[in-house]
Amino acid sequence: MLKVDPIDPEKEIVGEAIRILSEGGLVAFPTETVYGLGADSFNRDAVKRIYSVKGRPPDNPLILHISDFRELEVVAREVPSFVYELASKVWPGPVTFVLKKNDLVLPEVTAGLPTVAVRCPAHPVALSLIRGLGNPIAAPSANLSGRPSPTTADHVIKDLSGKIEMILDGGDTFFGVESTIINLTTDPPVLLRPGPVGVEDLERLTNLKVLIPAFAKGLGEAGVALSPGTKYRHYSPQTKLILVESGQCITQSDYLEYVKSLINEYLRERLRVAVMCSRETCSSYGNLTKLEVGSRNNLYEVAKNLFKKLREIDELGADLAISESFEERGVGLAIMNRLRKASSRVVFCVPTRQRVTID
Ligand code: AMP
Ligand code: MG
């Protein structure tokens, strides 16, 4: 593991990483979303190794990372002109496009699909690796499959230590949740995974309505193999995590009262309970073990802390953890998607005065 300046990466360190990649090795590196586990996307053995070190199911395709939107034609074909326009507005940045695949792209990258996922990351380290290698870099998140994505080099070490050639430590990642993925081969475009850039922004930028299927909210799975990654449980701590959705509770006080009553039930069963809460609400849980994830008034902060806090749940010695939910606007949709996938159970808030029995 080598420390690297995230803004002005040292040439020798980047050079060493590029050498490893060009020889078919794997390098974990920071992006503006989460840490990626990179391989030369044109090297079949290196791409296959990504799946084996992560324990990633072979039908879950990888995202290709390019350093300039003009490289789109290397990996995709029949790219409509509106896609170039959109790319010029959101790239470099945390948005991934699904497009028709070019023949050059290895089937191992796309898990045999006729489409390819591609993005241009807004991170000096990632960009200098892609430019130096001269090929698109295939990079899923640098975690073991099923675990929360890594937002620090330390998370990468915990999951992949000894299994890969190099980890570049560029500090905490900026957004902390993975890129927004949008399928642009369909009309209308379909959101496959919410991320830092909200659907509202994509609609404004494209002048198109974007379809949001239930699975993109973290509810159920994609019916067909639209986005294979969505069918796998993700981000899960080992500790049982219960997510309390706002359900029928409109006011924050109704919501809090319900969460507290749920917690009390578990405490009566003598279970050790921890709660993942917002800055605004954490103080209402008395001396319960708390993980403060950020402010409800700044969902970017919540997103940035989310995976770190999900990992910390397992360090608390709790029998179960209860998580509050967050408003589903902008990056909040990504937060709720990840929380729903991470939780082992979801319960819906009912205002106490309406409640007869508790499920
Ligand atoms: P990760 O890089 O670990 O965040 O995972 C990449 C995500 O991109 C997974 O959820 C994949 O299912 C999704 N993905 C990659 N390629 C495609 C594709 N061609 N079509 C749909 N989804 C894709
Ligand atoms: Mg991942």
Side-chain angles (χ1 to χ4, degrees), residues 206-261:
T206 54
N207 248 329
L208 294 169
K209 186 88 198 131
V210 174
L211 204 76
I212 309 177
F215 71 79
K217 295 184 170 182
L219 305 164
E221 305 168 351
V224 276
L226 265 179
S227 189
T230 61
K231 74 179 180 210
Y232 296 106
R233 202 170 125 85
H234 249 91
Y235 318 119
S236 328
Q238 265 117 39
T239 312
K240 188 175 171 193
L241 177 67
I242 300 174
L243 173 65
V244 186
E245 297 255 9
S246 52
Q248 296 171 38
C249 295
I250 296 163
T251 66
Q252 182 159 303
S253 63
D254 274 349
Y255 180 75
L256 271 179
E257 207 181 316
Y258 180 80
V259 178
K260 282 195 272 184
S261 69

Side-chain angles (χ1 to χ4, degrees), residues 54 56 140-141 143 149 178 193 234:
K54 276 182 62 90
R56 187 176 179 97
S141 49
N143 52 295
S149 295
E178 309 90 335
R193 178 176 73 188
H234 249 91

Side-chain angles (χ1 to χ4, degrees), residues 66 68-70 72 79-93 95 97 99 118-120 184 202 205-206:
I66 57 177
D68 189 293
F69 71 92
R70 282 173 290 255
L72 257 179
V79 180
S81 56
F82 87 91
V83 175
Y84 282 99
E85 249 174 72
L86 180 61
S88 70
K89 290 173 187 160
V90 298
W91 283 355
V95 183
F97 301 157
L99 297 164
V118 56
R119 87 172 181 106
C120 176
L184 297 174
L202 291 175
L205 292 169
T206 54

Side-chain angles (χ1 to χ4, degrees), residues 8-52:
D8 186 16
E10 296 80 356
K11 286 196 178 55
E12 321 75 67
I13 295 173
V14 170
E16 178 64 7
I18 293 167
R19 188 188 60 75
I20 292 172
L21 289 168
S22 62
E23 289 171 2
L26 302 186
V27 176
F29 60 93
T31 78
E32 79 280 30
T33 58
V34 300
Y35 274 77
L37 176 59
D40 177 353
S41 68
F42 290 141
N43 184 321
R44 196 182 299 269
D45 291 334
V47 170
K48 282 183 168 169
R49 241 186 92 214
I50 287 183
Y51 288 87
S52 65

Side-chain angles (χ1 to χ4, degrees), residues 112-147:
L113 291 177
T115 53
V116 63
V118 56
R119 87 172 181 106
C120 176
H123 196 292
V125 172
L127 288 173
S128 55
L129 292 180
I130 305 163
R131 287 195 189 116
L133 181 66
N135 288 340
I137 292 182
S141 49
N143 52 295
L144 286 175
S145 219
R147 297 266 295 144

Side-chain angles (χ1 to χ4, degrees), residues 129-305:
L129 292 180
I130 305 163
R131 287 195 189 116
L133 181 66
N135 288 340
I137 292 182
S141 49
N143 52 295
L144 286 175
S145 219
R147 297 266 295 144
S149 295
T151 59
T152 67
D154 202 45
H155 294 161
V156 182
I157 291 188
K158 290 219 168 80
D159 280 14
L160 301 178
S161 176
K163 294 177 156 187
I164 61 178
E165 280 69 28
M166 185 186 244
I167 299 170
L168 293 178
D169 177 0
D172 289 6
T173 58
F174 186 78
F175 286 113
V177 286
E178 309 90 335
S179 59
T180 306
I181 307 182
I182 181 166
N183 186 343
L184 297 174
T185 67
T186 54
D187 185 12
V190 178
L191 179 75
L192 298 181
R193 178 176 73 188
V197 174
V199 184
E200 305 89 334
D201 298 318
L202 291 175
E203 289 187 330
R204 192 170 38 78
L205 292 169
T206 54
N207 248 329
L208 294 169
K209 186 88 198 131
V210 174
L211 204 76
I212 309 177
F215 71 79
K217 295 184 170 182
L219 305 164
E221 305 168 351
V224 276
L226 265 179
S227 189
T230 61
K231 74 179 180 210
Y232 296 106
R233 202 170 125 85
H234 249 91
Y235 318 119
S236 328
Q238 265 117 39
T239 312
K240 188 175 171 193
L241 177 67
I242 300 174
L243 173 65
V244 186
E245 297 255 9
S246 52
Q248 296 171 38
C249 295
I250 296 163
T251 66
Q252 182 159 303
S253 63
D254 274 349
Y255 180 75
L256 271 179
E257 207 181 316
Y258 180 80
V259 178
K260 282 195 272 184
S261 69
L262 191 68
I263 290 171
N264 281 332
E265 281 179 45
Y266 288 114
L267 291 177
R268 278 197 291 274
E269 290 173 31
R270 302 202 170 280
L271 292 170
R272 288 163 300 174
V273 184
V275 61
M276 200 154 86
C277 41
S278 68
R279 179 151 324 119
E280 290 78 12
T281 50
C282 266
S283 58
S284 33
Y285 300 105
N287 52 15
L288 210 67
T289 306
K290 291 175 283 255
L291 285 171
E292 187 188 296
V293 75
S295 168
R296 290 186 175 276
N297 299 320
N298 182 0
L299 294 178
Y300 286 109
E301 185 190 17
V302 176
K304 182 166 182 149
N305 292 329

